Amino acid sequence: MKSLLSIVVGLFFITTMQAQSIYEAGYFVDNNGKRTECLIKKLPWRTNPTEFQWKKNISSSSKTATIENIKEFGVGEDYVYKRYILQFDLNGDTVGKSTKYKDPDLTYKKIFLRTILKSKTTLYQYSKNDVHRFFYTNPETVYPELLLYKVFYTPDESKKPGKKVIPQENNTYQEQLAKKIKCGDQDPSKLTYTQGDLKRYFKKYNECKGNKIEYIIRKKINQTRIGVVAAVDLTGFTHGSIAGPAGDVNYDDVFAPRYGVFIETFIPFSKVDLSFFLESTYKAFTMDGRDFAISNSEFELDYKSINVAVGPRFHIYLSPKFELFLEGGLTVDFNIGTEATQFMENELENTTTDYFYGGGIGSGRLKIGFRQYSPKNISKSTAIPDSELTTSSLYVSFNIF
């Protein structure tokens, strides 16, 4: 058990130590319109980038692409950027970093805009130094238009103690939305200038207009997959002889089917693709054994259980279409009618626990993996106190949602 735990901890340590060079599936479109599927270095992406590092596959050397030669790129499922030359103001959104002027000081700049929601009316975002600006396009626009917002201040003329300036907001974006992007009972006057509020507003607007939502960002923590899993377990079983220490009863190894469902949720780490999964499967098999210390002795184990497994899974992308994953965790077996000729009904454990480690390869919705489980004792008999059930497993899983 200690060695298994050491392996699981070791996998976590190795993955974390190499987090600086984690790459994930992505693509980019160059100035000639050529699309390249690749691996892009994983970054926090808190600010809109001007360049990124990429590889064709995990073994190739890293290259740098810049805003000068790339007009669009995407990373994973949540980050899609398009290049534009636009006017906007990046004065701070707090009084300490703002100016006394209500109107923004608009300047042109070449930037990558992040797509927040894509439809006939699309929402974009640009972020830098905790300042956020939002843009939109619709069938009437040629380039993204700025949704104008600015924090400014006015002098405090009341001469009250402690006050020197009064913060104000230029909420022109609410007027823009009221004139150009409004459907049904939508009221932009209640909107705050935040990604969450604007994303919900644009989603409701497109749905009201009957427009298909082609893309909408979502947080990693909400990226949950639900699917089915099928496995073949190679199982062995031994226990002590009733004749005493003369020998063990060895059962013939069997291949046992196991099948069920799973749920997997990704955790929002910026440099490590980490998920946790919960899996529930049903397993049943029959195996025969002999006690060579006793002549003409034959035994049978008819095993039935519900197995619940839980643990972390680390994802390493080998290419845009394939990933390597490593996993480890804990399983609990619930006895649902196991019988054995060597044991009375109340001499088998109702619940047993073991550990596992493994890994595999995935592509799209499909994963193929291998697990090695720690041996476990299913006996609580005083006559035969020790037994060992061993399992190795090959499984296939498929994401339905």
Side-chain angles (χ1 to χ4, degrees):
M1 182 185 300
K2 291 183 179 179
S3 62
L4 291 173
L5 290 174
S6 298
I7 291 173
V8 172
V9 172
L11 292 176
F12 179 83
F13 179 76
I14 292 170
T15 306
T16 304
M17 287 296 291
Q18 296 187 5
Q20 295 292 337
S21 59
I22 290 292
Y23 286 74
E24 59 182 328
Y27 74 93
F28 63 82
V29 179
D30 63 21
N31 290 337
N32 296 321
K34 180 183 176 183
R35 180 183 172 109
T36 300
E37 302 291 334
C38 64
L39 298 174
I40 295 178
K41 187 175 181 179
K42 194 172 180 66
L43 294 173
W45 306 110
R46 295 189 185 95
T47 62
N48 291 47
T50 57
E51 63 181 31
F52 57 89
Q53 290 181 286
W54 67 279
K55 294 181 176 184
K56 189 63 179 176
N57 54 59
I58 196 66
S59 61
S60 61
S61 58
S62 176
K63 299 179 181 180
T64 300
T66 71
I67 196 169
E68 299 300 328
N69 50 42
I70 301 299
K71 63 181 184 180
E72 179 182 337
F73 75 97
V75 188
E77 299 177 359
D78 288 315
Y79 299 94
V80 177
Y81 294 92
K82 297 185 73 172
R83 185 185 66 191
Y84 294 99
I85 299 176
L86 300 170
Q87 274 188 311
F88 59 97
D89 179 7
L90 272 183
N91 282 314
D93 291 342
T94 61
V95 173
K97 296 181 179 180
S98 63
T99 69
K100 63 181 180 180
Y101 303 105
K102 179 179 179 180
D103 295 327
D105 181 18
L106 299 178
T107 57
Y108 280 101
K109 189 175 181 180
K110 186 183 293 185
I111 57 175
F112 279 125
L113 284 185
R114 183 185 178 189
T115 304
I116 304 301
L117 181 147
K118 184 178 181 181
S119 185
K120 280 191 176 182
T121 300
T122 297
L123 177 67
Y124 301 94
Q125 180 177 350
Y126 181 81
S127 300
K128 185 176 182 180
N129 299 328
D130 291 325
V131 178
H132 309 285
R133 293 294 177 258
F134 295 93
F135 300 77
Y136 76 92
T137 56
N138 61 20
E140 299 175 359
T141 60
V142 178
Y143 298 104
E145 291 193 8
L146 172 67
L147 290 170
L148 200 154
Y149 170 80
K150 187 177 185 296
V151 173
F152 65 101
Y153 63 86
T154 56
D156 179 22
E157 298 178 353
S158 67
K159 298 183 180 180
K160 292 181 179 179
K163 283 194 173 183
K164 295 183 179 180
V165 296
I166 300 174
Q168 305 282 350
E169 290 183 341
N170 179 346
N171 292 320
T172 302
Y173 72 94
Q174 296 176 345
E175 299 174 12
Q176 292 174 271
L177 295 174
K179 291 179 181 178
K180 299 181 180 181
I181 306 174
K182 183 179 177 182
C183 183
D185 60 353
Q186 285 188 290
D187 183 6
S189 66
K190 299 179 180 179
L191 283 181
T192 61
Y193 198 75
T194 59
Q195 183 193 108
D197 262 16
L198 290 171
K199 181 175 69 172
R200 285 187 289 271
Y201 185 90
F202 274 72
K203 182 175 184 291
K204 184 176 180 180
Y205 173 82
N206 280 290
E207 290 174 343
C208 179
K209 291 292 186 179
N211 301 333
K212 179 183 177 182
I213 306 294
E214 298 179 37
Y215 170 85
I216 185 168
I217 66 164
R218 49 184 182 172
K219 294 182 179 180
K220 281 265 184 188
I221 192 66
N222 293 326
Q223 289 188 353
T224 299
R225 300 170 180 175
I226 299 174
V228 294
V229 59
V232 176
D233 293 351
L234 176 60
T235 304
F237 183 54
T238 63
H239 60 72
S241 171
I242 59 173
D248 290 334
V249 177
N250 295 302
Y251 289 69
D252 296 330
D253 291 352
V254 297
F255 288 98
R258 179 170 56 85
Y259 48 89
V261 296
F262 71 88
I263 182 170
E264 180 180 15
T265 298
F266 280 79
I267 305 301
F269 288 159
S270 63
K271 292 183 178 179
V272 179
D273 259 348
L274 173 66
S275 64
F276 281 85
F277 65 91
L278 177 67
E279 178 184 288
S280 179
T281 53
Y282 171 76
K283 178 168 66 175
F285 62 85
T286 300
M287 59 197 322
D288 299 318
R290 294 173 181 80
D291 189 342
F292 293 101
I294 304 174
S295 60
N296 299 322
S297 61
E298 293 187 359
F299 306 106
E300 184 179 83
L301 174 66
D302 185 14
Y303 192 88
K304 299 183 183 71
S305 73
I306 296 293
N307 179 275
V308 176
V310 61
R313 182 175 284 151
F314 305 94
H315 306 259
I316 303 171
Y317 291 93
L318 304 176
S319 73
K321 294 183 179 180
F322 293 95
E323 64 167 286
L324 176 71
F325 63 88
L326 306 172
E327 62 186 21
L330 170 75
T331 67
V332 180
D333 246 11
F334 297 95
N335 182 347
I336 55 171
T338 298
E339 297 178 350
T341 54
Q342 272 288 70
F343 299 90
M344 301 293 291
E345 183 178 350
N346 61 353
E347 292 182 335
L348 294 173
E349 294 284 1
N350 293 321
T351 304
T352 55
T353 302
D354 57 351
Y355 301 90
F356 69 90
Y357 65 92
I361 193 167
S363 179
R365 296 187 174 193
L366 185 68
K367 283 187 177 66
I368 300 175
F370 172 81
R371 288 181 192 162
Q372 180 63 51
Y373 295 83
S374 61
K376 60 184 177 182
N377 182 12
I378 65 172
S379 170
K380 59 179 181 178
S381 167
T382 56
I384 310 174
D386 297 319
S387 69
E388 185 175 86
L389 187 70
T390 61
T391 305
S392 301
S393 181
L394 182 66
Y395 69 90
V396 177
S397 67
F398 184 80
N399 302 334
I400 298 177
F401 304 106

